[in-house]
Amino acid sequence: MSDAILQVRNVVKRFGGIIAVNNISFDVREGEILGLIGPNGAGKTTLFNCITGIYTPEEGKVYFMGEDITGLPPHKIALKGIARTWQKTRPFKKMTVLEAVTVGVLLRTSNVDKAMREAEEILKFIGFPEEKINALGKDITLMDHKMVDLARAIATKPKLLLLDEVAAGLRPHEMDRLAGILRKINSEKRITMIVVEHVMRFVMGLSERIVVMHEGQKIAEGRPEEIANNPKVIEAYLGTKPV
Ligand SMILES: Nc1ncnc2c1ncn2[C@@H]1O[C@H](COP(=O)(O)OP(=O)(O)OP(=O)(O)O)[C@@H](O)[C@H]1O
Ligand SMILES: [Mg+2]
């Protein structure tokens, strides 16, 4: 596919006897929001770790903007323009919101004053409540922390953003707000996204296309409505504990 920003080709990652990612291939088109779903243990986070350099796949290749990035260390991949958020948020406690986002900006500039102004702009862009930007991490809500995670990720000016269960733990109205923020980042900052998510309403509403993993393998790929009616997908979800 010529307009692909990311190409994953036959990626395999094993842990001892477990094949966590088993011969996965797919493309991400420039500018799209791609959903990546699958039951617990399907291999979604491991695949993100293979794309971002945390793990080197045992087989297969990852191409970013046409360049083979397989096996590069995480900081080199980040510098090329791939950012991520983590499934387990690591909430900061003693820093303020503004300081936490400034740290993200400082990854690509050394001027602290400028970085702080830029951090302020990013927080404003995503609609973070202005009166809370000097609050300490320990005093803000889960939704606030999710927004800070996002702000830190986009502070590095990525071209591709990988989001690992960013909606987990949020209330329905907070999820709707988050979906709106992601759409705005996608359209106005032109950042392509892969969204890993268990909350179907969230991921189906947000994504143009969905890739489904089950036990390490890709079992389906298509538009959300195709995926929702795919018997293989339904079976994969019914065969495991409900999510
Ligand atoms: N560091 C590791 N060492 C050993 N096994 C691992 C490791 N990381 C993941 N696994 C195993 O690989 C498989 C895929 O796990 P992974 O975390 O990628 O799934 P997931 O799709 O992200 O699941 P979830 O939706 O629960 O987050 C699971 O069987 C898991 O136990
Ligand atoms: Mg995971």
Side-chain angles (χ1 to χ4, degrees):
M1 200 185 291
S2 59
D3 60 350
I5 188 166
L6 187 82
Q7 295 165 296
V8 174
R9 290 291 175 268
N10 306 102
V11 165
V12 174
K13 176 66 196 161
R14 298 186 187 90
F15 295 109
I18 298 168
I19 311 181
V21 175
N22 191 353
N23 201 26
I24 291 286
S25 299
F26 64 93
D27 284 359
V28 184
R29 296 175 195 145
E30 177 135 36
E32 80 173 330
I33 299 181
L34 178 80
L36 177 61
I37 68 170
N40 293 112
K44 306 176 298 292
T45 298
T46 305
L47 181 60
F48 269 12
N49 287 333
C50 289
I51 295 170
T52 53
I54 306 289
Y55 299 141
T56 300
E58 274 113 25
E59 291 171 38
K61 294 279 182 197
V62 180
Y63 300 94
F64 180 57
M65 301 200 321
E67 185 190 345
D68 184 357
I69 60 163
T70 325
L72 289 183
H75 69 276
K76 289 219 170 130
I77 292 179
L79 282 173
K80 287 188 186 295
I82 303 182
R84 74 177 296 172
T85 62
W86 297 84
Q87 179 169 356
K88 293 193 180 89
T89 44
R90 302 169 193 177
F92 55 96
K93 292 194 174 94
K94 293 180 178 163
M95 258 193 274
T96 68
V97 167
L98 185 58
E99 284 165 354
V101 179
T102 302
V103 171
V105 181
L106 284 170
L107 292 176
R108 57 177 176 75
T109 167
S110 54
N111 182 328
V112 177
D113 285 341
K114 205 168 148 253
M116 202 170 270
R117 281 198 302 276
E118 229 183 278
E120 233 177 314
E121 268 168 43
I122 294 167
L123 285 163
K124 207 173 197 173
F125 175 82
I126 63 169
F128 190 88
E130 231 177 296
E131 67 280 8
K132 282 200 238 176
I133 67 166
N134 292 312
L136 293 175
K138 67 179 179 54
D139 297 325
I140 62 175
T141 66
L142 179 65
M143 177 68 187
D144 294 335
H145 272 290
K146 303 260 177 177
M147 289 177 82
V148 172
D149 274 358
L150 257 183
R152 292 169 97 168
I154 62 174
T156 63
K157 296 217 163 135
K159 297 182 184 74
L160 175 67
L161 177 57
L162 311 185
L163 301 163
D164 199 352
E165 296 196 29
V166 73
L170 296 181
R171 300 191 179 99
H173 71 276
E174 292 173 326
M175 280 186 204
D176 292 343
R177 196 166 137 227
L178 185 65
I181 297 167
L182 295 182
R183 280 194 199 96
K184 186 172 170 194
I185 293 171
N186 173 250
S187 63
E188 292 179 31
K189 295 217 180 274
R190 299 181 187 286
I191 297 176
T192 308
M193 296 180 187
I194 310 179
V195 178
V196 160
E197 198 51 75
H198 282 294
V199 183
M200 287 302 149
R201 190 177 66 91
F202 181 83
V203 69
M204 292 287 186
L206 196 58
S207 311
E208 289 151 59
R209 288 191 307 132
I210 307 261
V211 167
V212 189
M213 286 180 75
H214 180 45
E215 295 175 346
Q217 292 178 307
K218 182 171 92 173
I219 59 164
E221 179 173 356
R223 292 194 310 276
E225 61 274 21
E226 292 167 344
I227 293 303
N229 296 313
N230 182 312
K232 266 193 189 170
V233 176
I234 294 166
E235 194 189 322
Y237 274 95
L238 292 180
T240 59
K241 69 182 161 102
V243 290

